[in-house]
Amino acid sequence: MNILNKLWVIISETYKSQLKSFTFLISAFLPLIFAALIMIPLTMLNNSENNSESPSVALVSNQKTVRDNFIKNYPKDMDKKINNREQAQKAVKNGDIDGYMFLNVNNDWVKATYYGNDEADVNVKTHVMKYISLLQNNLNNKNANLNAHQAKIVNTQPKYDSVIHKHTVQEYNESDDAKHLATNICIFVMYFILIIYSSITAQTIANEKGSKIIEVIFSSTTAMKYFIGKIIAIAGLIMTQIVIYIISGLVVYQINANSSLIKDNQHFINLIIKSLLGTPLIYTVLGIILYVILSAVCGALVVKASDASKAAQPVVLISILGFVLSNTLQSMPNSLIYKICSYVPLLSNYFMPTRIINGTVGTSSVLISILILVATIVLITWFIGRAYKGLMLQNSNNSFLIRLRDGFRYR
């Protein structure tokens, strides 16, 4: 129990100190601020468009049933509250509506007249013309005393049909676009977090090394336990940041749930979310943890804390390499090099999620890749944990590789 208590103290203290750090606050909330600066104008624009789509035209008639039938069949953009000409004239004068359509129906003909400050909307005009044409045909049949058969012949309309050969039409594939976007989001978020936490981890470890307090810590607990506690705390910090992003996304989604922007693209958004959650998220977390472990080693090898950012450069370069390669080869997920990279630790977290999202890999291959990644994390953690004390306590000015060798030889 004492071992678990000490481990928990290491985890909680590291987590709390990093949670309050300026670096974490900037990395966690600055992207959200930028996203808000982009989303707020879009939301305002969308709301203004929605407001502009409110009923702007009224339709009145000297026959109530004529008006009611039109409103029933064509409710869009029609103000249902205005039901007589006097109300319509007053609404136009007050600027409540753009104009109104008056249908004058008598025994012989139907006439539609639009009154407004501007020309009538083309869509409204088209529907009104269709409606009054139907009314006029009915009046003509009635006045001509045609029987049912004759009326049917007179009202026969031409037909239009089309035959499309599927192989000549390139259809829009929403699923493919959603997968492509989800892949880019996954890769970019992973790269963004890796770059930040590689530096944070190296700096955190380097600061402790330079403070000399590390000798006191190692006298009260094992280096292995201390190293594992540090890694778990930073992994928890990363999960906290991911959760912040997810919650922020859900809040934005709920706020704009009724907007036309969300409603019109609901299926597309669902496809993206479905592609991102699940196995790709597991790869993101595991990949980041592996990079964090290597960054901790880099931080432990510096002579001065100010050199921590430089020490993390090898890890950052590997991350950049994975990011660039995955983006460059994204259009070839079935190529041999892409398949090989999807099993290589430090690269698989970039490559395998793309294959999963695009559906070009089976479950067994994914499980093998995850097992390789997990086994690599466990082995490197165990190996470095055993040598962590030597890495932290030696302060020679030798080259990076010699310091690494001396650290592993330390007992």
Side-chain angles (χ1 to χ4, degrees):
M1 185 62 69
N2 188 41
I3 295 176
L4 292 177
N5 287 339
K6 288 182 178 181
L7 183 62
W8 174 250
V9 170
I10 296 168
I11 295 171
S12 60
E13 289 301 318
T14 303
Y15 179 81
K16 290 176 184 177
S17 64
Q18 290 301 316
L19 191 66
K20 295 181 288 185
S21 68
F22 180 75
T23 305
F24 173 77
L25 295 176
I26 289 295
S27 65
F29 294 103
L30 190 61
L32 298 180
I33 294 172
F34 280 120
L37 292 175
I38 296 172
M39 286 299 299
I40 289 173
L42 289 176
T43 302
M44 293 176 64
L45 179 63
N46 186 59
N47 290 336
S48 65
E49 288 177 353
N50 289 338
N51 292 333
S52 67
E53 291 176 359
S54 58
S56 57
V57 179
L59 186 136
V60 294
S61 175
N62 61 335
Q63 292 188 18
K64 185 177 182 300
T65 54
V66 171
R67 173 196 173 274
D68 292 345
N69 287 335
F70 183 84
I71 296 294
K72 182 180 179 181
N73 293 313
Y74 184 69
K76 186 179 179 182
D77 286 339
M78 285 293 162
D79 194 317
K80 298 180 181 180
K81 297 179 181 179
I82 298 175
N83 54 26
N84 61 64
R85 198 168 187 178
E86 290 73 20
Q87 288 180 338
Q89 290 171 341
K90 185 177 180 181
V92 172
K93 185 178 180 181
N94 295 335
D96 297 331
I97 58 175
D98 295 332
Y100 71 93
M101 192 78 69
F102 178 70
L103 299 187
N104 187 11
V105 183
N106 60 28
N107 293 329
D108 298 319
W109 47 260
V110 180
K111 183 180 180 182
T113 307
Y114 179 77
Y115 299 88
N117 300 319
D118 295 305
E119 284 292 331
D121 181 79
V122 175
N123 203 23
V124 174
K125 185 177 179 181
T126 300
H127 281 80
V128 170
M129 289 301 297
K130 287 182 179 179
Y131 185 63
I132 63 175
S133 295
L134 179 63
L135 292 177
Q136 189 65 59
N137 285 338
N138 291 338
L139 280 176
N140 293 341
N141 293 338
K142 181 180 178 181
N143 293 333
N145 294 320
L146 301 177
N147 58 39
H149 180 68
Q150 292 170 327
K152 183 178 179 181
I153 294 174
V154 170
N155 291 324
T156 299
Q157 299 292 326
K159 292 183 179 180
Y160 173 82
D161 203 354
S162 61
V163 178
I164 306 297
H165 299 287
K166 291 185 178 180
H167 65 275
T168 62
V169 180
Q170 187 174 0
E171 296 183 357
Y172 165 68
N173 195 321
E174 187 179 47
S175 179
D176 286 348
D177 278 1
K179 288 177 181 179
H180 181 71
L181 182 58
T183 300
N184 288 329
I185 292 172
C186 185
I187 292 174
F188 178 77
V189 170
M190 193 185 315
Y191 173 75
F192 174 74
I193 294 177
L194 281 176
I195 293 297
I196 292 173
Y197 279 94
S198 294
S199 299
I200 288 177
T201 305
Q203 189 68 54
T204 301
I205 301 297
N207 287 339
E208 291 181 345
K209 182 175 181 177
S211 67
K212 300 295 184 180
I213 199 174
I214 195 69
E215 295 179 13
V216 178
I217 294 173
F218 286 156
S219 65
S220 60
T221 187
T222 64
M224 174 73 78
K225 189 190 303 176
Y226 187 72
F227 178 70
I228 292 175
K230 283 286 183 182
I231 297 302
I232 292 174
I234 294 174
L237 203 67
I238 294 167
M239 290 303 299
T240 301
Q241 185 165 342
I242 292 174
V243 169
I244 288 172
Y245 290 158
I246 292 174
I247 292 175
S248 301
L250 291 174
V251 170
V252 171
Y253 177 80
Q254 288 298 324
I255 292 174
N256 297 279
N258 294 322
S259 68
S260 60
L261 184 66
I262 298 295
K263 288 182 177 178
D264 294 344
N265 298 282
Q266 186 64 65
H267 185 252
F268 187 72
I269 294 171
N270 291 341
L271 288 173
I272 294 174
I273 295 173
K274 183 180 177 182
S275 298
L276 287 175
L277 298 180
T279 310
L281 187 60
I282 294 173
Y283 270 97
T284 300
V285 175
L286 292 177
I288 292 172
I289 291 174
L290 181 56
Y291 275 91
V292 163
I293 293 171
L294 296 178
S295 299
V297 177
C298 294
L301 288 170
V302 300
V303 178
K304 296 181 293 184
S306 58
D307 295 332
S309 58
K310 296 179 182 177
Q313 285 181 357
V315 178
V316 172
L317 288 174
I318 295 173
S319 178
I320 292 173
L321 177 65
F323 177 75
V324 172
L325 280 176
S326 61
N327 274 283
T328 304
L329 302 174
Q330 195 178 121
S331 60
M332 300 182 294
N334 290 317
S335 63
L336 181 61
I337 186 171
Y338 210 99
K339 291 179 179 179
I340 293 173
C341 289
S342 64
Y343 293 98
V344 178
L346 298 177
L347 295 178
S348 62
N349 52 299
Y350 281 113
F351 285 83
M352 187 58 85
T354 303
R355 296 184 66 195
I356 294 170
I357 290 172
N358 288 297
T360 59
V361 63
T363 304
S364 59
S365 298
V366 173
L367 289 175
I368 292 171
S369 178
I370 290 177
L371 287 175
I372 293 173
L373 187 56
V374 171
T376 304
I377 291 172
V378 172
L379 288 173
I380 291 179
T381 303
W382 176 81
F383 188 64
I384 294 174
R386 288 187 62 193
Y388 191 63
K389 185 175 182 179
L391 295 173
M392 291 294 287
L393 294 180
Q394 58 96 14
N395 288 294
S396 67
N397 289 318
N398 294 322
S399 67
F400 183 87
L401 292 176
I402 293 176
R403 293 200 305 272
L404 182 63
R405 182 202 64 188
D406 293 343
F408 283 111
R409 287 179 176 178
Y410 182 90
R411 288 291 181 271

